[in-house]
Amino acid sequence: MADSIGTVRVREVSIARGSRAILQEVSFVAAAGELVALAGASGSGKTTLLRAIGGLEPIAAGRIDIAGSTLVPGPLPTGQHRRDLHRRVG
């Protein structure tokens, strides 16, 4: 199935700060126009996940496909890739 450019796919994303796990294997799909709510206690990783989707927080494992871009573990996007992502994610 081809992904729509407006679809957000978060696949088994884990985020850590040092040895501390912030998120572990989070997955969901949100289609263009679909409303999705992130709910959880204070400090549960909601903002961290949104920062990762925006390319502002590195992920330790998994994959984020959004707006025609793919984010994977490793360095944060830079240069034109980052500018393109930020134009499409808000």
Side-chain angles (χ1 to χ4, degrees), residues 14-52:
S14 296
I15 299 174
R17 291 205 178 101
S19 62
R20 182 172 175 237
I22 306 299
L23 296 172
Q24 294 180 332
E25 298 181 5
V26 173
S27 296
F28 68 88
V29 176
E34 183 177 13
L35 296 177
V36 176
L38 295 175
S42 178
S44 64
K46 300 176 300 289
T47 299
T48 300
L49 178 59
L50 292 174
R51 287 179 49 79

